């Protein structure tokens, strides 16, 4: 049966992106459409989106909603050329024609984020009404859209068009909860009754994600293990109790990846293509990577690559602690691509000067270099302290670049640990996020490279066979939509 799905999101690749959430919203609707559903996406028309100069159709009517002290109006622009998925852009310049999505460079969050995104949510609901789009499920993403779940369960229930709509809230990273001053409660049209410690209140502030979790008919996060971790009592995100209460209505669904963009068979960024059966091209990529980044050109030395944002979550501070010892004690080369924390940038920028020919770094953002590292390395290091899903380790598997990961969240769910007894597995895991465990696991991977060639070969073969395509994830989401609809009916 065809479901009518309205996806409200603060980001969508290729229109606006800061993280993995944008990739999900860029890919999932295409697969849902292929499954026969009527899916539409509603998102802000940011300055960056406008500058892309997309051909859009402006709807012939304005859309307005009550916000703060009066009515706020906007225009709706529709983009019709995204794989048959209509994308509705909410054009409100005072809210969205700004330098950033959530904040300006080097400044904190925009103080009016609750109003900006509250407006997006209300307008999305109003738009569906005006289009007479009888939504079965509103699919919400992260704190910016979570409040929709509360609107639907309160004043939204009396609406003839969307009064029966259910909601699914997808949480891409529990660290971002949308915590703002409680003065926003009346401005958003929320009742003070809902400013309650079980609903929207956290330490006398408004916590948008928390309220969304309470009201949504279904909640999910982006890997089963992460969904388990954030439910544990001592989890730092601090919402374990409320997630636990959702019982079976809080689950984990792994993200898919875009194999059209990330496959060694057809990657346009790498000097030679290769596949599971014809891997010769991988050596060409390795040589090219070594030459480009002034590493000693040698087919027979283990090369470890890593990519990522230099933020606490990603664990590069652990790498900084042990990398000198790794380079001194093991026959190995190392390359890193990333930006973020200044101290880590400086550290990794200088590393090649300390270990010429053996270490390389690219401090910056480069998609092309990311592809080269995936293709040219033998191992891919991802020591994240926590990881809701993670993409790079999944790309690495497809490129036959064995992941070395901390067994957490999506890393735990997508990498299968090497078993020395029989050569099964797809990568190398460590269970304690500390420098010693990281050092030892790198050593384990390197010794496998030199001493157990036949196992190395079977690990690569297994890795390249793994399939984390979006088709699979989309059918999981379909089940969540149905569950949300049932839960909504039961709640009455
Ligand atoms: P997160 O979304 O938390 O940053 P993911 O592993 O889910 O982590 O996705 C990261 C994506 O961003 C990957 O596609 C990765 O290649 C890319 N990326 C991160 N840092 C860089 C960089 N410095 N240059 C190029 N791509 C990068």
């Amino acid at each position: 049966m065809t479901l009518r799905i309205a996806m409200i999101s603060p980001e969508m690749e290729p229109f606006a992106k800061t993280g993995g959430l944008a990739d999900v919203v860029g890919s999932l609707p295409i697969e849902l459409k292929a499954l026969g559903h009527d899916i539409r996406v509603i998102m802000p028309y940011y300055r960056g989106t406008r500058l892309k100069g997309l051909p859009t159709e402006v709807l012939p009517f304005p859309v307005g909603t009550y916000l703060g002290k009066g009515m706020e109006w906007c225009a709706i622009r529709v983009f019709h050329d995204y794989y048959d998925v209509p994308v509705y852009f909410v054009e409100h310049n005072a809210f969205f024609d700004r330098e950033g999505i959530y904040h300006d460079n080097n400044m904190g969050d925009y103080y009016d984020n609750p109003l900006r995104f509250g407006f997006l949510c209300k307008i999305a609901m109003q738009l569906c009404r005006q289009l007479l789009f009888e939504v079965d499920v509103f699919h919400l993403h992260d704190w910016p859209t979570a409040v929709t779940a509360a609107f639907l369960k309160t004043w939204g229930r009396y609406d003839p068009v969307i009064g029966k709509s259910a909601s699914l809230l997808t949480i891409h990273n529990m660290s971002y909860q949308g915590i703002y001053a409680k003065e926003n409660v009346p401005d958003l049209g929320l009742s003070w009754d809902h400013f309650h410690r079980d609903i929207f209140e956290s330490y006398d502030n408004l916590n948008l994600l928390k309220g969304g979790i309470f009201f949504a008919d279904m909640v999910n996060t982006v890997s089963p293990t992460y969904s388990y971790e954030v439910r544990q009592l001592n989890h730092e995100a601090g919402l374990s109790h409320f997630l636990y209460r959702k019982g079976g209505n809080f689950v984990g669904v792994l993200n898919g990846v875009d194999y059209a963009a990330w496959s060694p068979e057809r990657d346009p960024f790498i000097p030679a293509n290769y596949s599971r059966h014809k891997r010769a091209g991988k050596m060409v990529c390795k040589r090219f990577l070594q030459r480009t980044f002034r590493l000693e050109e040698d087919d027979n030395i283990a090369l470890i690559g890593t990519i990522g944002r230099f933020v606490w979550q990603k664990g590069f501070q652990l790498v900084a602690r042990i990398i000198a010892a790794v380079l001194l004690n093991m026959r190995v080369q190392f390359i890193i691509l990333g930006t973020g924390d200044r101290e880590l940038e400086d550290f990794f920028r200088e590393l090649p000067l300390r270990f010429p020919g053996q270490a390389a770094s690219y401090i910056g953002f480069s998609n092309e270099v990311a592809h080269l590292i995936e293709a040219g390395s033998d191992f891919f290091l991802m020591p994240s302290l926590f990881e809701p899903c993670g993409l790079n380790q999944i790309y690495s598997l497809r490129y036959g670049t064995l992941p070395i990961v901390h067994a957490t969240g999506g890393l735990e769910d997508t990498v299968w640990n090497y078993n020395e007894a029989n050569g099964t597995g797809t990568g190398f895991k460590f269970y304690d996020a500390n420098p010693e465990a990281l050092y030892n696991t790198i050593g384990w991977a390197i010794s496998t490279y030199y001493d157990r060639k036949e196992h190395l070969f079977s690990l690569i073969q297994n890795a390249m066979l793994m399939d984390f395509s979006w088709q699979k994830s989309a059918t999981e989401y379909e089940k969540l939509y149905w569950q949300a609809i049932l839960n909504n009916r039961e709640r009455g």
Side-chain angles (χ1 to χ4, degrees):
M1 198 189 115
T2 300
L3 290 172
R4 287 163 303 228
I5 304 155
M7 196 173 276
I8 316 180
S9 178
E11 301 182 28
M12 177 179 184
E13 171 74 2
F15 309 119
K17 170 168 175 171
T18 70
L21 150 66
D23 294 313
V24 174
V25 181
S27 301
L28 179 58
I30 302 173
E31 298 302 330
L32 291 169
K33 189 84 194 179
L35 290 171
H37 302 300
D38 183 353
I39 161 103
R40 312 182 189 189
V41 183
I42 305 159
M43 66 173 286
Y45 197 56
Y46 300 108
R47 182 181 299 172
T49 317
R50 174 166 57 79
L51 292 175
K52 291 184 189 294
L54 304 166
T56 50
E57 175 208 3
V58 181
L59 292 188
F61 50 85
V63 181
T65 185
Y66 198 81
L67 188 81
K69 315 258 169 324
M71 288 295 284
E72 284 286 339
W73 295 89
C74 65
I76 302 290
R77 290 177 174 268
V78 197
F79 182 62
H80 293 288
D81 293 329
Y82 193 74
Y83 304 89
D84 280 340
V85 176
V87 182
Y88 296 88
F89 292 111
V90 174
E91 183 175 25
H92 184 295
N93 289 341
F95 281 155
F96 301 124
D97 186 11
R98 301 186 185 181
E99 190 184 322
I101 294 183
Y102 309 110
H103 49 77
D104 282 337
N105 277 342
N106 301 323
M107 306 236 300
D109 278 10
Y110 294 123
Y111 75 96
D112 58 350
N113 273 348
L115 281 191
R116 297 170 71 224
F117 291 105
F119 179 72
L120 169 70
C121 299
K122 286 188 157 188
I123 287 293
M125 291 170 68
Q126 180 61 25
L127 175 67
C128 293
R129 275 188 203 132
Q130 287 181 224
L131 295 173
L132 300 179
F133 185 46
E134 293 180 37
V135 177
D136 292 305
V137 185
F138 278 92
H139 189 165
L140 316 171
H141 294 271
D142 278 350
W143 67 265
T145 59
V147 72
T148 315
F151 295 155
L152 286 168
K153 285 282 179 285
T154 50
W155 47 265
R157 294 176 60 181
Y158 306 104
D159 187 84
V161 182
I162 57 167
K164 293 197 170 60
S165 307
S167 57
L168 165 67
L169 171 62
T170 299
I171 306 174
H172 298 264
N173 191 333
M174 291 291 303
S175 311
Y176 305 101
Q177 299 181 8
I179 300 178
Y180 294 95
K182 63 181 171 189
E183 284 65 35
N184 288 290
V185 169
D187 287 347
L188 282 172
L190 293 172
S191 142
W192 283 111
D193 288 346
H194 294 145
F195 190 66
H196 182 284
R197 63 168 189 266
D198 283 346
I199 311 181
F200 276 108
E201 190 264 354
S202 275
Y203 301 100
D204 210 30
N205 281 312
L206 170 67
N207 183 326
L208 290 166
L209 189 70
K210 186 175 170 183
I213 291 170
F214 178 86
F215 282 107
D217 294 304
M218 249 347 249
V219 180
N220 81 296
T221 183
V222 289
S223 68
T225 294
Y226 188 60
S227 82
Y228 170 81
E229 289 168 352
V230 295
R231 241 185 281 237
Q232 303 310 304
L233 259 189
N234 54 356
H235 193 271
E236 66 209 348
L239 295 182
S240 50
H241 184 60
F242 308 97
L243 292 167
Y244 190 77
R245 273 194 195 170
K246 297 298 278 191
N249 295 324
F250 172 55
V251 299
V253 174
L254 270 180
N255 286 338
V257 299
D258 180 5
Y259 286 124
W262 293 92
S263 286
E265 289 88 349
R266 52 198 150 154
D267 189 329
F269 294 109
I270 59 179
N273 292 108
Y274 61 94
S275 66
R276 187 165 164 261
H277 299 296
K278 285 192 177 161
R279 283 198 303 123
K282 187 164 174 70
M283 208 46 93
V284 179
C285 296
K286 181 170 175 176
R287 279 281 179 146
F288 184 80
L289 184 65
Q290 288 172 327
R291 197 172 323 131
T292 310
F293 289 93
R294 299 209 187 92
L295 293 168
E296 208 172 297
E297 287 184 50
D298 183 345
D299 293 351
N300 298 313
I301 186 166
L303 172 47
I304 301 178
T306 183
I307 305 168
R309 297 178 290 122
F310 295 168
V311 294
W312 183 80
Q313 174 197 337
K314 298 292 174 184
F316 290 114
Q317 59 280 24
L318 298 182
V319 181
R321 293 272 295 278
I322 52 116
I323 194 65
V326 167
L327 291 167
L328 283 171
N329 299 335
M330 302 180 200
R331 204 175 117 66
V332 68
Q333 293 178 337
F334 175 78
I335 180 163
I336 183 164
L337 162 67
T339 60
D341 178 83
R342 288 289 138 79
E343 281 181 18
L344 284 175
E345 284 191 356
D346 290 343
F347 177 87
F348 287 116
R349 197 180 282 115
E350 279 174 18
L351 195 66
L353 304 176
R354 293 167 58 200
F355 296 92
Q358 207 190 348
S361 63
Y362 184 109
I363 306 304
F365 195 96
S366 165
N367 191 36
E368 192 176 341
V369 177
H371 282 256
L372 278 179
I373 291 180
E374 288 289 0
S377 307
D378 298 300
F379 298 98
F380 189 88
L381 181 60
M382 202 145 161
S384 308
L385 304 185
F386 71 93
E387 192 59 77
C389 179
L391 292 172
N392 275 310
Q393 84 281 12
I394 304 180
Y395 302 151
S396 303
L397 291 168
R398 186 48 67 98
Y399 282 78
T401 304
L402 300 178
I404 302 172
V405 301
H406 175 215
T408 182
L411 299 174
E412 168 73 352
D413 293 336
T414 54
V415 178
W416 170 25
N417 206 12
Y418 168 43
N419 181 343
E420 248 183 80
N422 56 16
T424 54
T426 59
F428 303 82
K429 288 181 179 177
F430 56 100
Y431 291 84
D432 298 312
N434 62 42
E436 294 75 28
L438 173 60
Y439 179 88
N440 290 335
T441 308
I442 291 176
W444 185 33
I446 300 304
S447 68
T448 307
Y449 180 88
Y450 292 113
D451 302 338
R452 290 179 292 279
K453 292 262 183 222
E454 65 300 340
H455 281 184
L456 188 78
F457 177 78
S458 57
L459 291 178
I460 293 171
Q461 292 294 315
N462 295 341
M464 295 182 82
L465 259 184
M466 300 301 283
D467 180 14
F468 294 97
S469 61
W470 266 110
Q471 283 100 313
K472 266 193 189 167
S473 310
T475 53
E476 293 291 312
Y477 273 101
E478 220 178 13
K479 289 182 203 149
L480 298 194
Y481 295 144
W482 279 111
Q483 189 62 43
I485 292 167
L486 287 177
N487 290 348
N488 182 42
R489 277 193 202 143
E490 273 172 20
R491 275 178 168 191

